[in-house]
Amino acid sequence: MDVKGTPRYLYWLFCQFELITCSYLMEPWEKVLFYSFNLALLGLLLYTAYVCLVLHASSAFQLLCGSPGAPRENSLSGVK
Amino acid sequence: LNHIVHNGGLYKRPFNEAFEETPMLVAVLTYVGYGVLTLFGYLRDFMRQWKIEKCQNATEREEQKDFVPLYQDFENFYNRNLYMRIRDSWNRPICSVPGAKVDMMERVSHDYNWTFTYTGRVIKGIINMGSYNYLGFAQKTGACQEAAAKVLSQYGAGVCSTRQEMGNLDKHEELEKLVARFLGVESAMAYGMGFATNSMNIPALVGKGCLILSDELNHASLVLGARLSGATIRIFKHNNMQSLEKLLKDAIVHGQPRTRRPWKKILILVEGIYSMEGSIVRLPEVIALKKKYKSYLYLDEAHSIGALGPSGRGVVEYFGLNPEDVDVMMGTFTKSFGAAGGYIGGKKELIDYLRTYSHSAAYATSMSPPVVEQIITSVKCIMGEDGTTVGEARVQQLAENTRYFRRRLKEMGFIIYGNEDSPVVPLMLYMPAKIGAFGREMLKRNIGVVVVGFPATPIIESRARFCLSAAHTKEMLDTALKEINEVGDLLQLKYSRRRLVPLLDRPFDETTYEETED
């Protein structure tokens, strides 16, 4: 049985997050403010990760092993 | 866990004290929590200033807004924004005798702890882990209560005078002779208030031109008394004998700051048990140092009298030392005797001097007679002079409870500070939200605990402090331990990494004074 993903365990993890960041002590409107700020930051981070990493990954992939049969336009092409 | 002593075998028994280091992750997360709360504190202050939110705390009047601000310092900021959020864990009103179980009035707050209302319900039978009731003398039935009631009907409750005028009752004389006999000193004097005993008598003993060497973590009463006296105060690291010796050497060699004259008196201020740390003073070493450098020792046994030692006579008996080596033995009757007040014991000349020159004797009202009788009866009970072995049984029960409770908590994985034999057990919480959460969760489970936070402890080292009592039965302790275990799992408080680091007696040097080693 997948204990890790059960709703109870997730709720407990959320409670730990609340305790560590002291949102347990905040009034409801403060909690809304704090969580929306956190979610916005998380969203931005994920977007940046998605855009940048994908870009870097595809260019790295191209450099290393992209199109082996394509003619190389460089100075060494004359050497056989 | 014994540790090797390199100090000539001064200790007749193993001295097991440990302060586990704060785990790095926990410290970082604690700072994160405080950072978030500080940001929200600034936000709320901004809103209060611009009238977006109603201001419920004290502020200056409109006409005084241009004056020097009164409430802008960190303590007031902390008070408004952090303390207010968790304020319901303190000042809880109890409505029964603070014995092993206590009744508490239930209260709720509808505006986030700014105001409280009582629901009218009384929560009965809360296990009391917070009262200083070490020997269980806080009772409403029994020999002490009957004697006190008899004296109340004989003398009344008020004394209406100071000790030096008309307030010196025969009961006070009887008490002082008894206390002197109990401690093993020549003479003793009793005062109405424990805090006032320290703060009003240290100025009578030392003055300008004297040096006071005070432990880092001394109680506010000792600090206040030292400051009021006008003597020079130097602080040595908590329970660190190398630091104390260095200060003593410097004092003897260099003398007073500008004139280089020798100090008139050097007084070392230490406590028997430090209530926030649960540590016991290294008394054999302090006495050895005191004799070597010819200084005086003032020992504040507020928490250790009655609680340590095979017959409850305090930390001097615990180490097997001679009471005559301690120049001024001070203690309070609040903790182990179930009464109120303090005493000072020592040589006859000293006490006679204090009877004349102490502020407390000259200006403070003397102790109330029923309270005096409570102390007399409880001291006689501890000494065994009332013909029963109740006192001895209580002292032993307290020692057993202490060992059991501390062992079980350590096994569970909590970080517990202090000495193995001290009945004060601090359990580390660290994070600010957990301070409030612990207090509330324990109250939900019918256990009353005292949680301590910033001004009383360093800002990241907040803790819950359990005070054990001889009145606690094993069943009560087991219930409490079960609940603490549950709350510890719920709040993730089991920080201990179980690396018991033995205290090393290393020579003190300027760079490393940490007593833990990785």
Side-chain angles (χ1 to χ4, degrees):
Chain A
M1 185 188 142
D2 182 21
V3 181
K4 278 237 160 209
T6 48
R8 232 182 115 80
Y9 181 70
L10 287 174
Y11 178 66
W12 179 81
L13 271 183
F14 173 68
C15 283
Q16 297 309 306
F17 169 78
E18 269 202 319
L19 281 172
I20 291 174
T21 56
C22 300
S23 49
Y24 170 84
L25 300 175
M26 293 180 193
E27 300 174 24
W29 64 269
E30 287 175 330
K31 277 194 198 179
V32 163
L33 197 65
F34 185 63
Y35 292 151
S36 52
F37 175 75
N38 274 11
L39 287 172
L41 206 65
L42 194 68
L44 272 173
L45 275 170
L46 285 172
Y47 176 71
T48 316
Y50 171 72
V51 167
C52 284
L53 280 180
V54 163
L55 208 65
H56 285 314
S58 65
S59 66
F61 183 72
Q62 222 172 3
L63 186 67
L64 284 174
C65 49
S67 35
R72 294 276 185 89
E73 297 287 333
N74 57 16
S75 55
L76 291 173
S77 60
V79 180
K80 294 271 195 306
Chain B
L1 192 72
N2 296 2
H3 82 301
I4 318 285
V5 290
H6 301 293
N7 46 23
L10 286 169
Y11 290 86
K12 301 185 182 84
R13 56 189 299 159
F15 188 82
N16 298 328
E17 200 164 273
F19 299 94
E20 192 176 329
E21 208 184 311
T22 312
M24 177 61 86
L25 180 64
V26 172
V28 167
L29 292 176
T30 312
Y31 281 123
V32 163
Y34 274 112
V36 170
L37 281 179
T38 313
L39 286 174
F40 275 94
Y42 283 134
L43 175 69
R44 298 291 292 271
D45 275 350
F46 173 78
M47 287 170 55
R48 276 188 273 260
Q49 194 184 14
W50 286 91
K51 309 279 194 295
I52 305 172
E53 185 191 352
K54 186 169 93 128
C55 182
Q56 286 161 312
N57 57 297
T59 44
E60 301 101 325
R61 298 207 317 260
E62 272 308 313
E63 304 85 49
Q64 295 168 333
K65 289 276 188 210
D66 294 325
F67 294 5
V68 176
L70 289 174
Y71 303 106
Q72 292 294 89
D73 57 346
F74 180 67
E75 274 210 18
N76 284 297
F77 176 83
Y78 180 87
N79 199 30
R80 278 195 300 269
N81 299 309
L82 279 81
Y83 174 69
M84 277 298 166
R85 294 181 192 267
I86 47 179
R87 196 163 81 119
D88 56 313
S89 298
W90 290 287
N91 293 325
R92 291 185 185 147
I94 61 173
C95 48
S96 77
V97 67
K101 291 206 170 174
V102 74
D103 301 335
M104 208 179 277
M105 294 181 66
E106 197 188 22
R107 53 178 192 171
V108 289
S109 173
H110 299 290
D111 52 356
Y112 302 101
N113 292 347
W114 287 96
T115 56
F116 291 104
T117 47
Y118 296 106
T119 58
R121 199 170 80 92
V122 170
I123 315 174
K124 290 200 181 293
I126 296 182
I127 298 180
N128 187 358
M129 305 291 299
S131 288
Y132 305 133
N133 185 20
Y134 298 130
L135 292 178
F137 281 111
Q139 296 166 306
K140 55 184 183 188
T141 53
C144 295
Q145 181 267 336
E146 282 160 24
K150 190 157 156 292
V151 164
L152 180 64
S153 58
Q154 208 180 340
Y155 287 83
V159 184
C160 311
S161 184
T162 66
R163 272 313 277 281
Q164 285 183 357
E165 293 173 5
M166 284 275 278
N168 192 16
L169 306 175
D170 56 342
K171 281 279 162 206
H172 294 131
E173 306 268 322
E174 189 190 333
L175 171 67
E176 287 170 1
K177 288 199 186 65
L178 184 64
V179 167
R181 209 152 44 85
F182 179 68
L183 296 171
V185 292
E186 278 180 28
S187 173
M189 181 166 178
Y191 302 93
M193 185 178 158
F195 189 99
T197 310
N198 271 336
S199 51
M200 298 293 118
N201 285 307
I202 298 179
L205 294 172
V206 290
K208 271 187 76 154
C210 303
L211 177 65
I212 291 183
L213 298 174
S214 157
D215 189 292
E216 199 177 23
L217 299 175
N218 267 340
H219 190 250
S221 55
L222 290 165
V223 171
L224 185 62
R227 287 182 189 170
L228 277 176
S229 67
T232 311
I233 308 174
R234 296 206 179 135
I235 315 284
F236 62 92
K237 312 270 186 206
H238 176 59
N239 235 0
N240 189 327
M241 294 300 116
Q242 287 85 7
S243 170
L244 176 60
E245 182 160 19
K246 184 170 187 298
L247 283 179
L248 278 165
K249 274 190 193 154
D250 284 344
I252 304 285
V253 164
H254 298 296
Q256 297 191 29
R258 277 179 309 111
T259 57
R260 300 292 195 211
R261 286 197 204 133
W263 294 101
K264 283 197 215 151
K265 248 179 282 196
I266 302 181
L267 185 66
I268 306 175
L269 293 183
V270 287
E271 288 188 39
I273 291 183
Y274 290 89
S275 66
M276 279 304 152
E277 310 284 311
S279 53
I280 299 182
V281 67
R282 292 173 179 274
L283 198 59
E285 293 178 63
V286 174
I287 288 185
L289 279 174
K290 168 200 101 103
K291 285 183 180 160
K292 180 175 172 189
Y293 292 99
K294 296 195 179 37
S295 50
Y296 298 98
L297 179 60
Y298 184 106
L299 178 65
D300 177 346
E301 287 203 87
H303 286 269
S304 53
I305 190 75
L308 285 182
S311 66
R313 294 181 196 223
V315 70
V316 173
E317 197 200 13
Y318 174 75
F319 285 113
L321 299 166
N322 188 357
E324 290 183 14
D325 284 335
V326 180
D327 302 291
V328 190
M329 284 180 79
M330 178 264 171
T332 59
F333 298 119
T334 326
K335 279 87 184 182
S336 301
F337 302 99
Y343 65 84
I344 289 197
K347 296 262 181 305
K348 190 168 180 311
E349 296 87 29
L350 171 73
I351 302 299
D352 286 342
Y353 177 82
L354 281 178
R355 279 188 215 279
T356 326
Y357 287 96
S358 158
H359 293 281
S360 197
Y363 301 109
T365 314
S366 39
M367 243 192 225
S368 181
V371 174
V372 175
E373 185 60 29
Q374 158 83 17
I375 303 168
I376 292 178
T377 322
S378 55
V379 170
K380 284 196 176 141
C381 181
I382 296 174
M383 294 209 300
E385 284 182 9
D386 59 344
T388 65
T389 52
V390 168
E392 200 185 319
R394 283 184 191 211
V395 174
Q396 280 172 1
Q397 178 71 31
L398 176 66
E400 264 178 50
N401 282 355
T402 307
R403 279 194 294 269
Y404 178 65
F405 197 74
R406 276 180 170 266
R407 183 176 57 84
R408 285 286 305 274
L409 279 180
K410 284 217 178 87
E411 279 169 12
M412 285 180 195
F414 294 102
I415 296 187
I416 306 290
Y417 272 12
N419 197 303
E420 289 284 318
D421 292 316
S422 111
V424 179
V425 186
L427 187 150
M428 303 307 289
L429 298 172
Y430 298 114
M431 301 183 198
K434 294 192 185 182
I435 307 174
F438 192 78
R440 290 174 199 161
E441 292 294 320
M442 292 302 280
L443 189 59
K444 274 192 217 162
R445 292 164 171 76
N446 251 17
I447 302 186
V449 296
V450 169
V451 289
V452 201
F454 168 56
T457 64
I459 195 154
I460 57 164
E461 290 171 21
S462 53
R463 57 201 74 174
R465 187 182 66 179
F466 299 104
C467 291
L468 295 167
S469 167
H472 286 137
T473 59
K474 193 154 181 304
E475 291 76 35
M476 281 187 217
L477 287 184
D478 284 334
T479 321
L481 282 164
K482 187 170 80 69
E483 304 296 355
I484 296 172
N485 195 12
E486 221 178 278
V487 174
D489 281 329
L490 181 69
L491 300 179
Q492 280 285 69
L493 292 172
K494 298 187 178 174
Y495 302 119
S496 178
R497 286 172 299 186
R498 297 183 197 270
R499 278 190 292 150
L500 288 171
V501 183
L503 281 181
L504 301 171
D505 282 326
R506 267 199 315 235
F508 169 78
D509 55 8
E510 292 292 329
T511 51
T512 58
Y513 109 89
E514 288 294 325
E515 284 167 354
T516 55
E517 191 177 86
D518 286 312

